[in-house]
Amino acid sequence: MKILVLVKQVPDSTTNIKILPDASDIDRGGVKMVVNPFDEFAIELAVQLREKRSDVETITALTVGPATAADALRTALAVGCDDAIHLQDDSFADLDELQIAGLIAAVVRDRGYDLILRGKQEIDLDSGQVGPALGEYLGLPHVGALVQVEIADDAGSLQARRRIEGADEVLDVRLPAVLTIEKGLVEMRYPSLPNLMKAKKKPVEVLSAGDVAGLAEATSAAGGTKMSELSPPPERPPGKVLSGDVAETVPKLLRLLREEAKVL
Amino acid sequence: MTNDVLIFAEQRSDQLNPVVLQCVTPARELAGKTGGQVVAVVIGSGIEATTQAVAGHVDRVLTISDARLEHYTATHYRTALRQAVEKIDPRFLLMPASFMGRDVSPRVAVACGAGLATDVVELTLGDDNALSARRPIYNGKAFGRVTFAADRLAIASIRGNAYATAEPGGAGATESLAFAPADGDDALRCSEVAKTGGEVLDVTEADIIVSGGRSLKSEENFQILYALAEKLGAAVGASRAACDAGYQPHSRQVGLTGKTVTPKLYIACGISGAIQHLAGMRGSKVIVAINTDPEAPMCKVADYVINDDLFNVVPALTEAC
Ligand SMILES: Cc1cc2nc3c(=O)[nH]c(=O)nc-3n(C[C@H](O)[C@H](O)[C@H](O)COP(=O)(O)OP(=O)(O)OC[C@H]3O[C@@H](n4cnc5c(N)ncnc54)[C@H](O)[C@@H]3O)c2cc1C
């Protein structure tokens, strides 16, 4: 079985987001970049599958991003991926999520992966489009927000449990397939320093726009949206602090919720 | 391409997702500007109640009913939605930003050569006729405007409670379309849908959420939140600290690595308001903070704040409402 794990480098979740004066993007200066937390679960799942099964041949990590995104690949390699693909070109920064999925599809289509894993969503753009879209481009089924997975011994199918509003769905899936991972399935092990050093020796294939056959078609079939006019979230008016003991605050709160906010 | 607005009228067990009727609001605005019609498509098996519920709000309803569509799967529903798009040839396709919407919309976008914006809070058709969508990014720490390419179908999934529910109106003439599955659709089969949390509402389904943090100190103490929730018809949520401590299952966790919710009312009981928790609930319409610490970040984002012991406030609140 050949496994591909898609990873994205994103600003750490505690980052204070500052917006550039022209509102075209966030100010990336000094921002700590980490592996998307949901992609960490995908990496760990791949590594655990290898530990449990004898038929996992290779685990490849793939990212689309600038030169600095190599750090994300190195983390994936340190945790147990064997090799990596880094799609790196200034022009890729202009692609939206669907176009990124098209680009990845063009690169991996003929590489014969049986299982493609990714986090259920990226914590930067928050859209979660790439996993399902890649499934569509490659003509493969996908299961989103996976919380449990059981792969058949012959690696021809799997059973997945996924979490939806108020219920779990159990799905029977034919391989090859794309899975996007929900929190709770696994936690990524810590990439130790020695392993981070060893990871430097693992092969990373760097591909630029010129190396991707059929790039123009792959990135023009769908998508093409543009993001602009970034702004901070709408200001919430300062809250009302209700003072007094419970005999005062509780009736006051209920009255405000009913009469002012009109939510009760 | 017509100027019509197609709405995916999501249902489960023949119950319409309430956000569908919220999608009708921007759909009418768009159709009003372009002179198109608002058309809903209902997909499933046994969908009479849903069809009726939506028909009174739109100009036309298209139904695609087939036993193979009884349970949602991304492949079958993508094919059905593509059929609807081919039939109506709309300029816009709107749907709830639910799990189903998130799951199926990227596939439909690729299958139909469309553009896609997810979790949209506002749609704008500019004077230049270009559609743009406002949506939260960076876990709600910023918003961005997504502008669609002019010459292709624009798909937007709409965040719950971003728009008001539309008043009834529209002829709602119904026609049906025979489902025609595509090759490979059966690579995905749903064999079971198991309710989680018993009869208790899920946080993503509720208009009101009563949420508790580490300070509840035990699973047993969460009962005071359940008592209040029952009075309010609310769901119970929790911080990650409370879930990690085992007081509540992770399915109730709100936040960056939990669920994102946008209820009308979010009552945070003893939750500090760490940035990762705010990521999951700052889009709520009204926020109440019950917290002994006036400096807690939750007290800074809340609309109403009671700086008092939750073990006094919550039972009193339950008593009073
Ligand atoms: C990558 C990452 C992802 C994360 N994802 C999430 C997530 O999805 N969801 C999430 O919630 N967290 C998440 N966290 C954790 C987050 O940073 C916080 O640790 C967590 O939210 C704190 O939970 P809490 O508010 O219950 O606890 P605390 O921060 O300990 O706050 C307890 C609060 O209760 C108040 N209090 C104490 N006693 C009382 C009382 N008797 N009455 C009233 N108030 C009282 C205190 O003043 C305090 O404000 C994540 C962290 C990381 C690094």
Side-chain angles (χ1 to χ4, degrees):
Chain A
M1 195 160 57
K2 286 176 75 179
I3 302 178
L4 177 70
V5 186
L6 306 180
V7 300
K8 186 173 185 192
Q9 199 182 40
V10 299
D12 184 78
S13 66
T14 52
T15 305
N16 222 337
I17 296 290
K18 278 189 248 111
I19 293 163
L20 291 176
D22 70 356
S24 63
D25 198 358
I26 61 163
D27 185 349
R28 290 173 192 277
V31 169
K32 182 180 169 211
M33 300 294 281
V34 298
V35 175
N36 177 35
F38 289 98
D39 296 344
E40 287 189 350
F41 308 145
I43 297 169
E44 179 66 27
L45 176 62
V47 175
Q48 287 191 11
L49 283 173
R50 161 138 66 203
E51 286 166 354
K52 276 189 215 129
R53 303 175 63 97
S54 55
D55 61 348
V56 176
E57 295 158 54
T58 54
I59 305 174
T60 302
L62 181 150
T63 199
V64 182
T68 46
D71 287 346
L73 291 178
R74 189 132 79 92
T75 302
L77 293 170
V79 171
C81 296
D82 303 304
D83 52 23
I85 304 172
H86 189 164
L87 305 180
Q88 183 192 325
D89 197 291
D90 287 347
S91 66
F92 296 162
D94 297 328
L95 303 177
D96 73 1
E97 295 94 322
L98 293 179
Q99 292 170 311
I100 294 281
L103 162 68
I104 296 172
V107 172
V108 306
R109 180 169 279 117
D110 297 324
R111 295 191 186 217
Y113 294 108
D114 302 287
L115 206 52
I116 302 179
L117 307 177
R118 136 143 256 184
K120 74 155 184 183
Q121 119 195 23
E122 322 81 52
I123 64 162
D124 53 354
L125 295 179
D126 288 334
S127 84
Q129 291 181 26
V130 171
L134 182 61
E136 188 67 23
Y137 276 116
L138 296 176
L140 302 180
H142 85 271
V143 181
L146 188 87
V147 291
Q148 201 180 310
V149 63
E150 205 62 57
I151 301 177
D153 289 340
D154 69 356
S157 66
L158 62 84
Q159 192 172 66
R161 188 174 267 266
R162 107 188 187 96
R163 186 138 300 161
I164 59 165
E165 294 95 344
D168 278 357
E169 287 176 343
V170 180
L171 293 137
D172 297 311
V173 189
R174 207 155 63 212
L175 292 183
V178 179
L179 305 176
T180 78
I181 319 300
E182 172 70 283
K183 178 194 187 284
L185 184 60
V186 286
E187 284 287 332
M188 191 177 82
R189 63 199 67 189
Y190 191 73
S192 70
L193 201 57
N195 282 342
L196 277 166
M197 298 310 288
K198 277 188 224 149
K200 279 190 178 166
K201 299 204 183 76
K202 293 189 177 179
V204 178
E205 185 180 352
V206 181
L207 301 177
S208 64
D211 301 319
V212 182
L215 178 67
E217 301 77 50
T219 55
S220 61
T225 61
K226 295 283 171 235
M227 175 80 77
S228 64
E229 288 179 45
L230 270 64
S231 66
E235 283 280 335
R236 297 190 81 103
K240 286 191 178 152
V241 180
L242 314 183
S243 53
D245 64 11
V246 177
E248 292 174 68
T249 52
V250 162
K252 226 186 280 178
L253 175 66
L254 283 174
R255 185 159 29 81
L256 287 165
L257 291 177
R258 288 191 179 118
E259 291 167 18
E260 187 178 79
K262 297 192 168 64
V263 289
L264 283 187
Chain B
M1 199 187 288
T2 66
N3 277 321
D4 293 346
V5 189
L6 183 64
I7 298 174
F8 171 38
E10 173 185 335
Q11 58 83 32
R12 285 189 191 269
S13 309
D14 205 13
Q15 275 202 330
L16 183 68
N17 181 325
V19 181
V20 170
L21 296 184
Q22 298 170 9
C23 292
V24 173
T25 301
R28 282 187 190 154
E29 282 169 24
L30 292 172
K33 281 196 179 164
T34 60
Q37 283 194 321
V38 178
V39 186
V41 57
V42 186
I43 297 168
S45 168
I47 48 177
E48 292 74 21
T50 307
T51 306
Q52 248 187 353
V54 78
H57 291 77
V58 297
D59 299 311
R60 286 161 66 198
V61 184
L62 197 62
T63 58
I64 305 179
S65 179
D66 191 289
R68 287 164 289 192
L69 299 169
E70 182 188 352
H71 294 305
Y72 166 78
T73 66
T75 42
H76 278 126
Y77 272 56
R78 174 264 280 125
T79 299
L81 276 165
R82 179 173 54 199
Q83 281 185 268
V85 166
E86 280 165 1
K87 164 100 182 159
I88 306 293
D89 196 17
R91 193 172 152 204
F92 315 102
L93 168 60
L94 310 186
M95 63 181 87
S98 56
F99 281 82
M100 203 190 286
R102 276 186 168 244
D103 201 59
V104 80
S105 59
R107 294 199 82 115
V108 177
V110 171
C112 299
L116 172 62
T118 51
D119 226 9
V120 168
V121 297
E122 190 188 311
L123 281 170
T124 313
L125 192 62
D127 294 334
D128 54 357
N129 214 16
L131 183 74
S132 68
R134 227 161 157 71
R135 61 176 303 259
I137 49 178
Y138 298 99
N139 356 115
K141 284 188 269 187
F143 278 68
R145 180 173 300 286
V146 177
T147 304
F148 289 91
D151 49 353
R152 46 173 58 147
L153 171 67
I155 305 181
S157 68
I158 308 289
R159 199 176 231 214
N161 293 327
Y163 283 94
T165 302
E167 297 295 328
T174 302
E175 59 189 303
S176 64
L177 204 61
F179 178 53
D183 274 357
D185 278 5
D186 61 352
L188 205 53
R189 248 187 252 256
C190 180
S191 52
E192 189 192 339
V193 181
K195 276 277 290 169
T196 49
E199 291 312 299
V200 191
L201 270 183
D202 188 67
V203 286
T204 49
E205 297 174 308
D207 267 347
I208 302 177
I209 297 172
V210 180
S211 202
R214 194 200 309 267
S215 52
L216 264 294
K217 294 207 178 72
S218 72
E219 182 180 0
E220 207 185 348
N221 286 341
F222 258 87
Q223 283 313 318
I224 64 170
L225 301 193
Y226 278 92
L228 176 59
E230 198 183 323
K231 276 271 184 89
L232 297 173
V236 171
S239 72
R240 169 154 158 186
C243 295
D244 284 352
Y247 307 160
Q248 287 295 296
H250 278 286
S251 59
R252 303 210 167 275
Q253 182 185 321
V254 171
L256 179 70
T257 46
K259 289 177 175 164
T260 301
V261 296
T262 54
K264 279 194 211 142
L265 175 59
Y266 190 88
I267 306 179
C269 309
I271 297 179
S272 59
I275 191 81
Q276 298 93 350
H277 188 82
L278 296 181
M281 47 64 68
R282 71 189 313 157
S284 306
K285 194 164 160 233
V286 174
I287 298 171
V288 172
I290 301 170
N291 197 309
T292 42
D293 177 10
E295 296 306 315
M298 186 62 82
C299 297
K300 307 293 173 205
V301 301
D303 302 279
Y304 304 110
V305 180
I306 297 181
N307 291 128
D308 203 343
D309 189 337
L310 73 94
F311 290 102
N312 293 331
V313 178
V314 173
L317 201 53
T318 310
E319 190 67 42
C321 62

